[in-house]
Amino acid sequence: MSRRTSPVIPGFGLTLGYTLVYLSLLVLIPLGALFLKTTELSWAQFIAIVSAPRVLAALKLSFGTAFAAAMLNGVIGTLLAWVLVRYRFPGRKIIEAMIDLPFALPTAVAGIALTALYAPNGPIGQFATELGFKIAYSPLGITLALTFVTLPFVVRTLQPVLADIPREVEEAAACLGARPLQIVRHVLLPALLPAWLTGFALAFARGVGEYGSVIFIAGNMPMKTEILPLLIMVKLDQYDYAGATAIGVLMLVVSFILLLAINLLQRRIAHG
Amino acid sequence: MTTAPLPVSANARATTTRRGKQTARRLLIGAAWLTFALFLLLPLLIVLGEAFKQGVGAFFTAILEPDALAALKLTLLAVGISVPLNLVFGVAAAWCVSKYEFRGKSLLVTLIDLPFSVSPVIAGLIYVLLFGAQGYFGEWLSDRDIQIVFAVPGIVLATLFVTVPFVARELIPLMQEQGSTEEEAARLLGASGWQMFCYITLPNIKWGLIYGVVLCTARAMGEFGAVSVVSGHIRGLTNTLPLHVEILYNEYNHVAAFSVASLLLALALVILLLKQWSESRIARLHANAED
């Protein structure tokens, strides 16, 4: 079944076997249990659970805020990647090193920090209060929390691609009379778009499943600011394992479709 | 006296473009600084500000309290078990993916990345379904008096799950890029498999390995959702540091919550430094390879 390209290099059976056993025990079999548990439900029961108004509200909120956060990251991530790759300026190294802070910082810490910042009496939240709206305890707060935890994705996927575009291509376009906006549209955009989409999808997928940073800032009001992962938690606390499982499967199926889309995109980048 | 109109206008246009470029440059750098300050610096500063609101004494009381120390110990235990296990897995997985061609390889790579696209809450849920009192193995386990969920083993399992891909993900592209010619040469010169691995492969992948371990440690130390589902939240027993932060915060003990949070923040900054360091070593390796 398998073709070994390097017959002199040992360890194929050992490493592949170990990888498969480890993955099966830790990831695949437990995830299988999730799907096995859903088979205890009839199709009608499953539909009834996932189409309950509270679930649909959470679904809309989770995917909506994750999408908004990924979009916001698409803008500020592109800005940061561009500035970090193209310009040399004081403090560049600090920004470069700190971009990954959201990946290194525990999400619970991010959650309470952002809540303190955006709460109605917080340093930024009080300005919103004066203007008559809320940041924390509203979908806007959830979006900002998701933007923080997924900030590195777009920056880090764009940076290497941006660094690889030869400056000569832009200069050539300028010499041929292209205006700056034309250069952006016809030279930079086509080269950056695949990586941008990858970063966007990664941020979106992570945002949909994110829990730790969101629950502090969300306020967790059913129907209003309750995200899907929290709803799973609520069902678990009520010992409603079937309900938690059904929502889990729903999320997993959507995540799987996203992962598939990311992989297809990456393949297209590699071959085009 | 008549100057050709074309060069003048071209010249003028070049000057405006240059001036426009300078303005754009300044604007973009300013915007980047503003974004950085607003999105990254402020959250960091507010953690420290809230932690030291009531002085250094309150800070040390909060982080030296027995429950906080127990949480620190449990976090270190979870990191200490999950990082080495995922390190060995990462090397094995990267080895079979990068050194051989076989059918289903891209499926395997997708499966390795799978935990990244599973919500942490689901990662906790699946172990409850397996090992919880009502789970598939619940009865078997309770007959033998073994507790996994709502106990330390569950916390370790959940941490293991969410950190599976980190080392493999760093090593696979690195080892694919390096190829296997050096290993083949070592083998043809009579090295044993183990010698080849220790003297050729390991030095080649050292910095990528460290990089992966650093990222894996960060996630293992900070995991919240998955651990929260399986923890049971028993103070001093099944609380990790992030869960301890949550409990203190929900008790409106904000100074203590932010004190423990700033301890985690300090660890995160150390991790960033280590990451920066291993990254620069990888960059140097690349530069040497190109020379």
Side-chain angles (χ1 to χ4, degrees), chain A residues 1-6 8-12 15-16 18-20 22-23 25-31 33-34 36-38 40 72 76 79-80 82-83 86-109 112-118 123-124 137 144 147-148 151 156 174 177-180 202 205-206 208-213 215-216 229-230 232-233 236 239 241 244-245 247-249 251-252 255-256 259 263 267, chain B residues 13 17 21 24-25 27-29 31-33 35-36 38-44 46-47 50 82 85-86 88-89 91-96 99-103 106 108 110-122 125-130 133-134 136 150 157 160-161 164 169 180 183-184 187-188 192-193 196 211 215 218-219 221-226 228-229 233 242-243 245-246 249-250 257-258 260-262 264-265 267-269 271-272 275-276 279:
Chain A
M1 179 201 132
S2 49
R3 288 177 290 120
R4 297 170 50 163
T5 42
S6 301
V8 293
I9 294 187
F12 177 69
T15 54
L16 183 65
Y18 183 75
T19 304
L20 287 176
Y22 189 89
L23 265 184
L25 286 180
L26 205 59
V27 179
L28 301 179
I29 293 174
L31 278 176
L34 187 75
L36 191 65
K37 187 84 188 169
T38 10
E40 289 173 14
L72 187 54
I76 62 178
L79 168 76
L80 287 169
W82 174 267
V83 169
R86 285 304 170 91
Y87 304 137
R88 296 291 172 268
F89 57 96
R92 183 184 156 275
K93 278 218 159 126
I94 297 174
I95 298 184
E96 167 75 42
M98 292 282 289
I99 290 286
D100 289 312
L101 179 72
F103 284 172
L105 193 69
T107 49
V109 177
I112 62 169
L114 294 171
T115 310
L117 206 56
Y118 294 116
I124 295 185
Y137 319 124
L144 285 174
T147 307
F148 177 84
L151 187 83
R156 292 305 187 213
R179 295 185 176 277
L202 286 170
R206 170 77 197 268
V208 169
E210 176 58 22
Y211 176 75
S213 61
I215 52 158
F216 295 98
L230 179 71
I232 295 181
M233 281 296 229
L236 271 178
Y239 300 103
Y241 290 102
T245 308
I247 301 173
V249 165
M251 281 185 71
L252 215 60
S255 297
F256 184 71
L259 189 78
N263 273 15
R267 201 158 296 173
Chain B
R13 190 170 146 194
T17 329
K21 262 194 169 168
R25 186 191 127 97
L27 275 176
L28 288 174
I29 291 176
W33 262 109
T35 312
F36 168 72
L38 200 65
F39 280 90
L40 292 171
L41 207 56
L42 264 182
L44 191 157
I46 203 154
V47 171
E50 294 282 321
S82 57
L85 283 179
N86 282 331
V88 174
F89 165 76
V91 172
W95 185 266
C96 68
K99 302 291 180 198
Y100 310 99
E101 286 303 325
F102 54 92
R103 228 182 296 163
S106 59
L108 182 65
T110 310
L111 287 180
I112 293 172
D113 275 344
L114 193 60
F116 275 165
S117 47
V118 173
S119 172
V121 172
I122 295 177
L125 171 67
I126 56 180
Y127 291 113
V128 174
L129 292 179
L130 279 179
Q134 260 116 72
Y136 291 108
F150 308 133
L157 274 175
L160 266 173
F161 181 97
V164 160
R169 228 183 133 86
S180 2
E183 276 92 353
E184 278 163 12
R187 285 291 283 169
L188 294 174
S192 73
M196 168 205 68
Y211 187 72
L215 294 178
R219 183 66 194 266
M221 170 189 100
E223 180 48 34
F224 183 82
S228 179
V229 177
H233 304 276
L243 294 177
V245 170
E246 185 201 18
Y249 188 83
N250 286 343
F258 279 100
V260 178
S262 64
L264 286 166
L265 172 65
L267 289 172
L269 291 176
I271 280 168
L272 280 186
K275 191 184 147 292
Q276 197 72 5
E279 253 176 351

Side-chain angles (χ1 to χ4, degrees), chain A residues 152-241:
Chain A
F153 282 116
V154 173
V155 185
R156 292 305 187 213
T157 44
L158 276 186
Q159 270 183 320
V161 184
L162 202 51
D164 274 348
I165 301 175
R167 295 291 278 269
E168 289 83 359
V169 180
E170 282 162 66
E171 279 161 19
C175 287
L176 292 169
R179 295 185 176 277
L181 277 182
Q182 286 178 310
I183 298 178
V184 169
R185 209 180 131 209
H186 295 288
V187 178
L188 292 174
L189 217 55
L192 291 179
L193 196 62
W196 188 89
L197 279 171
T198 307
F200 176 88
L202 286 170
F204 182 57
R206 170 77 197 268
V208 169
E210 176 58 22
Y211 176 75
S213 61
V214 176
I215 52 158
F216 295 98
I217 203 167
N220 306 330
M221 292 256 298
M223 302 300 293
K224 284 196 183 118
T225 56
E226 187 179 53
I227 55 165
L228 266 183
L230 179 71
L231 201 51
I232 295 181
M233 281 296 229
V234 171
K235 300 247 175 206
L236 271 178
D237 282 342
Q238 297 165 344
Y239 300 103
D240 179 5
Y241 290 102

